[in-house]
Amino acid sequence: MKVTRHRDKILEALREWFRIHKQAPTLEELCAELGMQPRQRATLQRWLQTMRGIDVEWEDNAARSLRLLTPDSEVESKPQIPVTETLRYLATGLAEWEKREPLEQLHIPKALRVGMSRMYLTSLLSGDELAPSNLPEFFKWAKKPVVEWKPAAEIKNLSSEVTLIEDGLVSDFALQWQVTGSDVEMQVQEKVLHDVLQYCRVNQLEEQYRTLRKLIIERPVLPYSEYRRLLSSTQLRPLRDFLLQIYVDLVDLAGDRDYHFCPRCKYIMRSRRDGTHSCRNMTCEQLSAKHHLPPLPSVPKQEAETWKAVTPGVHRYGTLPGLWEIHLAESLTKLGVRVTLWPEIDEFDLLVEFSKKVRWAIDVKDWSYLDEDRLRKVEYRFDTNETFVVFPDEREEALRIGVQRQHLEPELSGVRLKLFSEIIFQAKKILEKKNHA
């Protein structure tokens, strides 16, 4: 049977699809992947017929039954479990287990249990390596160099000597990988943002970093076709592996018949027993009601199966704080000020430039309480005229910035505390003075 000259292009598109998505594409979706028009589906179907039984196969009259037959495609289609996330679960669980009293150590910490499960699933998918199946086996494994675990090969510059347990104690290496907080799963998911930051700094990918940050803030949920286009875009292609960790299938986050999204943050909402829906973030609920934000269109489950969403941890630590950063940047830009988001690959949140001589560095904080230790870690920028930590006005009742800054600012080495409205007012004064001059 003749194999068409389009074979390689079709195979590449299918391998890419199955690498990211669980379900097979429809003819329309495959047309989109190949840059063809929907009306060309008959042409595509003829091409596929020449490959049937050689490279691809499907069930007649069965939707989404297209599958690859070539051996190398099987490897491409396996779901990936990021080894960095697995190590963070293992390290966090080990550190928690070590702190427990002897009798409490009989119960495996949740983080350690999740990490071991991910190891086991990774071994099943690879098919050539056995993972520890119980605690004694795991502790024996944890004393061996991490590099002997094949999936760890993706971690660059990993010393051949580091282990998770050293001399009977949790190693320094493991302690560096642990996460802290009440919700380990969210903390592990949030760490991918730190990995993105480090990778972009090492490789000087400032514009790519800015593009990804804006994407997770402005599009925390998106159709698969748009997600695939973004993965292949020039700006995001270098960060592709991180995007595969950041975005998951929407239907994996909830099992609703219809999916509803927050009018403010645009993330999937929780279903209440009375049939209504609420955002996972209380501030979104309050602001949506205050500003009478209209509801967003819902997505039926059948359609949602082809949508992607950021993980809850990325939503909590990336999307939500980013909304305030973009809001302030847009408010200042409308005044006619030049604003750069996350300058120098996120050394701080906003660089505000009125002129070559008048520049502000701003860190935006959406805190529920004033964390004085974290405030002291904000460094004054000597390459700017002012360094501000700025809080949304909606937080003033809880934080009382107007009162607290009087005794806090003398200890902050020149860093000043402001509310959004105060920053806007101060910016207007500078612009009025500049225009008057």
Side-chain angles (χ1 to χ4, degrees):
M1 184 177 289
K2 181 182 177 182
V3 179
T4 78
R5 61 188 175 87
H6 306 283
R7 172 180 181 269
D8 290 342
K9 188 177 180 181
I10 293 173
L11 286 177
E12 183 181 356
L14 285 173
R15 287 169 186 153
E16 196 58 39
W17 176 281
F18 284 117
R19 181 176 179 228
I20 300 163
H21 212 267
K22 296 175 182 178
Q23 290 186 316
T26 62
L27 275 177
E28 290 82 359
E29 289 166 340
L30 189 51
C31 277
E33 294 293 307
L34 293 165
M36 300 169 65
Q37 298 298 319
R39 55 184 169 80
Q40 295 178 280
R41 54 179 290 180
T43 301
L44 175 58
Q45 194 163 22
R46 287 198 300 270
W47 292 346
L48 288 171
Q49 284 289 354
T50 67
M51 300 167 61
R52 189 170 188 176
I54 302 172
D55 299 302
V56 298
E57 190 55 85
W58 63 87
E59 305 300 325
D60 291 327
N61 303 316
R64 298 190 181 279
S65 62
L66 181 65
R67 61 185 184 276
L68 284 159
L69 297 178
T70 50
D72 57 335
S73 66
E74 294 175 5
V75 176
E76 291 284 345
S77 65
K78 289 176 181 176
Q80 301 297 311
I81 301 176
V83 64
T84 51
E85 289 189 6
T86 301
L87 281 176
R88 287 193 175 105
Y89 279 115
L90 294 174
T92 302
L94 273 176
E96 182 182 341
W97 183 85
E98 187 178 60
K99 294 176 183 178
R100 292 183 173 184
E101 297 295 329
L103 290 178
E104 295 178 340
Q105 290 182 344
L106 297 174
H107 302 285
I108 305 177
K110 179 183 177 181
L112 184 54
R113 188 169 65 249
V114 172
M116 290 176 64
S117 296
R118 291 169 68 94
M119 282 187 71
Y120 185 72
L121 183 54
T122 300
S123 71
L124 286 178
L125 294 173
S126 64
D128 60 356
E129 186 176 24
L130 293 178
S133 59
N134 53 49
L135 269 184
E137 288 182 8
F138 171 74
F139 283 114
K140 184 178 179 181
W141 173 89
K143 296 173 184 177
K144 298 179 180 179
V146 176
V147 291
E148 293 184 9
W149 185 38
K150 290 183 181 179
E154 70 179 67
I155 302 176
K156 295 181 179 180
N157 304 317
L158 185 61
S159 169
S160 60
E161 299 179 358
V162 296
T163 60
L164 293 182
I165 295 178
E166 186 176 345
D167 296 329
L169 299 173
V170 177
S171 68
D172 290 338
F173 171 79
L175 293 176
Q176 291 172 6
W177 280 79
Q178 72 167 322
V179 299
T180 57
S182 57
D183 193 323
V184 173
E185 186 174 6
M186 272 204 182
Q187 298 291 334
V188 169
Q189 292 169 0
E190 183 266 343
K191 281 294 183 182
V192 70
L193 298 179
H194 176 76
D195 292 342
V196 170
L197 175 62
Q198 295 303 317
Y199 181 82
C200 289
R201 285 179 174 172
V202 168
N203 295 281
Q204 288 300 298
L205 302 174
E206 182 161 4
E207 285 305 316
Q208 290 85 345
Y209 177 81
R210 188 173 290 112
T211 300
L212 185 142
R213 282 293 305 274
K214 291 191 75 173
L215 174 64
I216 64 174
I217 295 165
E218 297 176 340
R219 301 304 308 273
V221 179
L222 70 172
Y224 180 79
S225 57
E226 185 176 347
Y227 171 70
R228 278 286 293 113
R229 180 181 60 78
L230 290 166
L231 279 177
S232 303
S233 66
T234 303
Q235 287 285 51
L236 291 173
R237 192 180 297 122
L239 304 179
R240 172 192 196 89
D241 289 342
F242 296 109
L243 280 170
L244 294 175
Q245 298 179 51
I246 288 171
Y247 281 89
V248 297
D249 288 346
L250 176 60
V251 293
D252 288 345
L253 300 178
D256 300 333
R257 285 188 299 178
D258 293 293
Y259 291 78
H260 299 260
F261 308 100
C262 172
R264 177 176 178 258
C265 72
K266 300 179 175 63
Y267 198 57
I268 181 174
M269 301 175 80
R270 290 194 177 106
S271 299
R272 295 192 180 109
R273 291 182 178 179
D274 60 1
T276 60
H277 301 84
S278 63
C279 183
R280 298 159 188 250
N281 180 258
M282 184 58 67
T283 300
C284 281
E285 287 283 287
Q286 295 168 347
L287 291 176
S288 295
K290 177 181 178 181
H291 298 294
H292 305 288
L293 299 180
L296 298 177
S298 61
V299 174
K301 184 172 184 178
Q302 185 175 0
E303 182 182 342
E305 290 177 351
T306 62
W307 283 53
K308 290 284 186 176
V310 300
T311 62
V314 169
H315 172 253
R316 170 66 182 84
Y317 297 103
T319 304
L320 292 174
L323 289 171
W324 289 116
E325 295 160 4
I326 288 181
H327 172 65
L328 182 57
E330 290 177 345
S331 299
L332 289 166
T333 300
K334 287 178 182 177
L335 298 178
V337 186
R338 181 181 177 184
V339 182
T340 303
L341 280 160
W342 314 296
E344 301 175 36
I345 313 184
D346 217 354
E347 285 294 330
F348 49 98
D349 294 330
L350 275 67
L351 173 62
V352 182
E353 298 176 278
F354 296 91
S355 66
K356 290 183 178 180
K357 295 183 178 180
V358 182
R359 305 164 81 237
W360 293 350
I362 292 179
D363 266 326
V364 178
K365 305 294 185 187
D366 180 27
W367 291 349
S368 56
Y369 73 98
L370 270 180
D371 190 328
E372 295 185 22
D373 290 334
R374 288 174 66 187
L375 275 178
R376 293 187 182 94
K377 292 178 182 178
V378 177
E379 297 182 359
Y380 182 84
R381 300 283 307 189
F382 289 97
D383 55 346
T384 62
N385 304 90
E386 296 277 10
T387 300
F388 296 110
V389 175
V390 183
F391 302 87
D393 285 57
E394 286 78 1
R395 293 296 188 187
E396 171 62 359
E397 184 177 349
L399 302 181
R400 301 174 65 238
I401 299 300
V403 175
Q404 295 293 339
R405 62 182 163 212
Q406 296 179 20
H407 73 271
L408 286 176
E409 286 184 349
E411 302 176 10
L412 300 179
S413 304
V415 176
R416 299 170 62 191
L417 309 183
K418 294 284 185 181
L419 296 171
F420 273 36
S421 58
E422 293 174 325
I423 282 291
I424 297 297
F425 178 76
Q426 191 165 334
K428 286 180 177 178
K429 286 181 62 177
I430 291 176
L431 291 172
E432 288 172 1
K433 184 177 179 181
K434 181 181 177 181
N435 293 334
H436 181 71

